[in-house]
Amino acid sequence: MSLTVQTEQRADMVVVSVAGELDMATAPQLQDQISDLLEKGRTRLVFDLADVSFCDSTGLSVFVRAKNSTDDAGGTVRLAAPQRGVLRILEVSGLVEVLRTYPTVDEAVTAQEPALD
């Protein structure tokens, strides 16, 4: 199965809508899109995962790399609307604690950043 990636500017966030299977074969396509956004100074990213039917460790590593890159640039990465199977992978891997995850894109876009201690 193929992967489609579309972007949309919403407020100060870029919503990256991902659809299909995110695995070793398709992860480079998403990574290229993220790299392009970062090169353009877009460091506040929301990944809409509503249409991602599968995500393996390669896909998870793309999100971790995106978070590390945006953190370094003072930005943020948020995940939105993962299907049950993808959410389960995030939970089992412990990444749901690292990658802010929201039930909807709207909630991810409008969420306030937690205060730094």
Side-chain angles (χ1 to χ4, degrees), residues 66-82:
K67 181 190 183 325
N68 292 340
S69 296
T70 60
D71 284 355
D72 290 346
T76 188
V77 163
R78 300 174 183 172
L79 306 182

Side-chain angles (χ1 to χ4, degrees), residues 7 33-43:
T7 61
Q33 185 73 37
I34 294 166
S35 296
D36 186 50
L37 289 167
L38 294 173
E39 287 174 16
K40 293 177 180 174
R42 305 287 195 257
T43 60

